[in-house]
Amino acid sequence: MTAQHAHPAPRFTGAARPYGGGDPYADYRTADFPFARLTDLADRRLGAGVVAADDEFFAERENLLLPGRAVFDPEHFGHKGKVMDGWETRRRRGPSAGDPWPAQEDHDWALIRLGTPGVVHGVVVDTAHFRGNHPRAVSVEGTSVPGTPGPEELLSDGVTWTTLLPRTPVGGHAANGFAVPAGRRFTHLRLSQYPDGGIARLRVYGEVVPDPAWLEALGTFDVVALENGGRVEDASDRFYSPPANTIRPGRSQRMDDGWETRRRRDRGHDWIRYRLAAQAEIRALEIDTACLKGNSAGWASVSVRDGAGTGTGTDESEGAGDWREILPRTRLQPDTNHRFVLPAPAVGTYARVDIFPDGGISRLRLFGSLTGQGSAALAARHRELGG
């Protein structure tokens, strides 16, 4: 069963020019999609995966969710043909010599498990380097299934799929971006391409909606982590790497897997502002500068503020109180995880880290538990979105 939603017109259609040498991205078509600053719910670093696909003859389905943009080596061929960094299916054919063309409804599909359940606000179907072998059109559907279902369960008649993006033309060698009307929480997506072809990457941008029962069972957890519903609301500088890296799972493994600002030539400082999973009581924190050696921040401080009301709004100033410093300006060491136990628990719905004067940190962890108000707000939001 499938429900329908409206969608805006695509930005790119048609094939791209054949590769003519030089920088393969020189003629790549893209745009600034406003929703792309949200969390990529299909990020493998959050635990996303491609559960199944009906065909992956030329290129593996797992490539769809790899971090970073697709690469292209014009000289790389294998025993099946050109090796592509994406998901590519074989060419479909009709039933007979008299009817050799694919039918209108013919398509290939891939099932994607989101890294964390959430509300989808936009998708990017990236056909980078698929110039004459991209699909003619794509569609995206979503469903919410508890637990860890396999392909057979997801494709069973009892599962209802909601159309997020109806069958829509896409362009080759382009970032085809589409805003999606928000309204429900999803755990899995089905990406279809008509009739066949290749897609380099799929990005699914949205809002994490964690399971309140799971967080309640944990008790104490990282209340600012992406996977638990925390998010970055704003930052002073995004020059070298995105501030959302600071709340990703695990420790940073490379310098660009953190947040690093450009070098300041004034008397100011840099900062990131976060929204917590919900109103929480923070008891300990970590500031990690892993892999930032000659460019880590010199000092850092952490503050929180408490918002009135439900604690789930998106307006940082809505009913919020004053900032209260919970970690005073403290010297940081390069490539080091710094741990601090607070002298008293601090209640807040927002957090802010200030670094002095510039540089970077790789991770921020705020350990605590939800307040009664925070738990109630999170549970209400979960119910509202069909969780």
Side-chain angles (χ1 to χ4, degrees):
M1 185 182 300
T2 300
Q4 293 278 336
H5 287 304
H7 75 289
R11 291 177 179 266
F12 308 106
T13 55
R17 293 175 297 174
Y19 176 63
D23 179 6
Y25 275 102
D27 60 341
Y28 176 70
R29 296 173 291 174
T30 187
D32 180 17
F33 304 115
F35 52 74
R37 284 198 173 186
L38 300 173
T39 302
D40 180 6
L41 303 176
D43 192 332
R44 284 195 60 83
R45 293 168 292 184
L46 284 177
V50 185
V51 176
D54 70 322
D55 186 288
E56 47 185 332
F57 185 84
F58 286 113
E60 297 80 7
R61 64 182 191 257
E62 287 84 4
N63 292 333
L64 278 172
L65 307 187
L66 291 178
R69 64 183 190 173
V71 299
F72 180 73
D73 181 353
E75 304 300 326
H76 193 189
F77 286 84
H79 68 280
K80 292 182 180 181
K82 181 72 183 70
V83 175
M84 297 295 291
D85 184 10
W87 169 49
E88 185 180 6
T89 67
R90 72 193 79 198
R91 299 185 187 223
R92 284 183 170 270
R93 298 294 187 239
S96 66
D99 186 14
W101 303 280
Q104 176 70 13
E105 66 274 10
D106 284 351
H107 67 280
D108 291 313
W109 52 263
L111 298 176
I112 291 94
R113 180 190 65 249
L114 298 180
T116 180
V119 178
V120 180
H121 290 273
V123 297
V124 173
V125 179
D126 190 348
T127 57
H129 316 304
F130 290 96
R131 296 168 177 268
N133 51 349
H134 62 287
R136 183 175 183 180
V138 300
S139 67
V140 179
E141 301 162 280
T143 190
S144 185
V145 181
T148 52
E152 298 80 7
E153 296 166 87
L154 291 170
L155 296 173
S156 67
D157 293 338
V159 173
T160 298
W161 290 90
T162 298
T163 299
L164 304 182
L165 177 69
R167 181 170 173 168
T168 303
V170 293
H173 196 45
N176 300 275
F178 306 94
V180 172
R184 287 197 56 196
R185 174 184 183 267
F186 295 107
T187 61
H188 294 77
L189 299 186
R190 179 163 59 191
L191 170 66
S192 298
Q193 55 174 333
Y194 302 84
D196 52 42
I199 298 170
R201 298 288 189 269
L202 175 70
R203 304 302 187 212
V204 183
Y205 296 103
E207 168 195 355
V208 174
V209 182
D211 182 353
W214 174 252
L215 297 183
E216 183 179 355
L218 292 179
T220 296
F221 59 92
D222 182 1
V223 298
V224 75
L226 275 177
E227 59 192 314
N228 295 330
R231 63 179 181 267
V232 168
E233 291 208 320
D234 202 2
S236 61
D237 188 286
R238 303 168 186 262
F239 190 83
Y240 284 114
S241 44
N245 283 350
T246 60
I247 51 176
R248 291 193 181 280
R251 292 199 76 199
S252 172
Q253 300 299 311
R254 306 190 326 176
M255 187 175 72
D256 63 350
D257 186 25
W259 173 58
E260 182 188 356
T261 71
R262 73 192 83 196
R263 299 189 187 210
R264 280 190 169 267
R265 303 307 186 198
D266 58 21
R267 303 287 292 176
H269 72 282
D270 290 310
W271 51 267
I272 307 175
R273 189 180 72 237
Y274 305 89
R275 177 87 194 197
L276 306 185
Q279 188 188 66
E281 184 179 82
I282 302 166
R283 293 184 288 275
L285 63 90
E286 291 182 356
I287 300 176
D288 196 352
T289 58
C291 303
L292 295 164
K293 299 178 180 179
N295 47 1
S296 64
W299 293 261
S301 65
V302 178
S303 303
V304 299
R305 65 188 301 180
D306 188 30
T310 64
T312 59
T314 57
D315 183 356
E316 184 273 339
S317 62
E318 179 187 353
D322 294 332
W323 289 105
R324 295 176 293 109
E325 194 173 69
I326 61 173
L327 179 73
R329 192 179 304 187
T330 301
R331 178 70 181 177
L332 300 182
Q333 299 298 326
D335 196 27
T336 301
N337 192 22
H338 308 76
R339 291 179 169 175
F340 306 94
V341 176
L342 301 185
V347 174
T349 52
Y350 305 92
R352 174 176 167 139
V353 60
D354 293 84
I355 63 170
F356 302 87
D358 55 26
I361 61 173
S362 60
R363 296 290 188 270
L364 174 70
R365 306 296 188 207
L366 302 178
F367 296 105
S369 54
L370 299 184
T371 64
Q373 176 180 310
S375 293
L378 199 62
R381 178 72 169 154
H382 192 259
R383 291 192 299 270
E384 175 190 347
L385 296 170

